[in-house]
Amino acid sequence: MNLLTALRAHRIVAIVRGDDADGALRTVLTLAEEHIPLIEVSLSGRDALDVIRRARAELGPAAPLGAGTVLTAQDARAAHDAGADFIVTPAVCEGITAARELRLPVLAGVMTPTDIVEARRLGADALKIFPAAQAGGPEYLRALRGPFPGEPFVPVGGVDAEAARLHLAQGAVAVGVGSPLIGDAADGGDIGGLRARARVFLDAVAVDTAGRAEAGR
């Protein structure tokens, strides 16, 4: 898959991390039904590799499906074997180089300018500013875009619907959203609430006919 094209098209990555594997699988399938196709299953969740395998079988080979919290080469290989077709890391780590060796695109976790330069040197396709809220939110993104105006940034961490609008208005190519979207669904909780939140976030990341975030006009 072309990860950067997909990020620009869909503008949101849903991050599924849960303590209930069946609940996590239901969450992935519900997000796909609600037209949030870029979905990352964090390896820190319960039985995450099995969730990825089962989700791949349900969604088919063409659906984007990522593995997150990939730190090591072993993580990257296991995610690839389970059916993930993109990789997300929380930091600049060997998961990036291993994923690139497997020809998997990478959304690499960065915080500092040094991280940005190193992640791109290692072959990262896009840059996950993490944790975005603690780093300073949209204002930190605006500051980074000064020396790095063309880099594809994806803020992740504490991004609610309003923060999503603000980050996109500051030039993020997409946002990554975990608990503000998922709630308790991946722990076996409310799927109806997940559907409602998915629609709120889809509205938040919608673009007008000029291709600008609604919040950026």
Side-chain angles (χ1 to χ4, degrees):
M1 68 173 294
N2 187 314
L3 178 60
L4 187 52
T5 297
L7 290 168
R8 287 174 171 151
H10 301 297
R11 302 167 67 84
I12 184 169
V13 181
I15 302 165
V16 177
R17 176 187 292 107
D19 290 330
D20 182 293
D22 290 336
L25 178 63
R26 282 194 300 271
T27 298
V28 171
L29 300 180
T30 299
L31 290 165
E33 289 170 4
E34 293 296 332
H35 308 293
I36 297 182
L38 281 178
I39 303 167
E40 163 199 340
V41 177
S42 170
L43 296 189
S44 61
R46 183 180 296 276
D47 297 327
L49 292 171
D50 187 54
V51 172
I52 293 171
R53 288 189 193 94
R54 294 163 67 194
R56 173 57 71 209
E58 291 282 348
L59 295 172
L65 184 61
T69 323
V70 172
L71 287 165
T72 68
Q74 182 178 353
D75 290 340
R77 288 191 291 268
H80 176 261
D81 291 346
D85 57 6
F86 69 94
I87 294 298
V88 185
T89 75
V92 179
C93 57
E94 70 176 4
I96 299 173
T97 52
R100 297 307 294 146
E101 288 169 2
L102 293 164
R103 301 192 177 185
L104 294 175
V106 182
L107 173 57
V110 300
M111 173 65 80
T112 67
T114 301
D115 291 343
I116 292 166
V117 171
E118 181 64 7
R120 290 294 261 172
R121 186 187 71 79
L122 293 175
D125 298 82
L127 303 165
K128 164 184 158 181
I129 302 174
F130 176 78
Q134 289 76 6
E139 288 304 306
Y140 186 61
L141 171 61
R142 184 162 73 98
L144 286 177
R145 281 175 54 78
F148 302 105
E151 294 293 354
F153 290 116
V154 181
V156 178
V159 177
D160 60 15
E162 180 58 22
R165 292 186 184 97
L166 294 173
H167 281 296
L168 291 167
Q170 290 291 354
V173 296
V175 292
V177 185
S179 58
L181 168 61
I182 304 305
D184 65 354
D187 297 321
D190 180 19
I191 292 295
L194 172 64
R195 292 187 186 278
R197 290 187 298 275
R199 293 162 192 169
V200 169
F201 272 94
L202 284 172
D203 182 65
V205 304
V207 294
D208 64 21
T209 55
R212 298 167 298 182
E214 293 283 359
R217 290 191 292 175

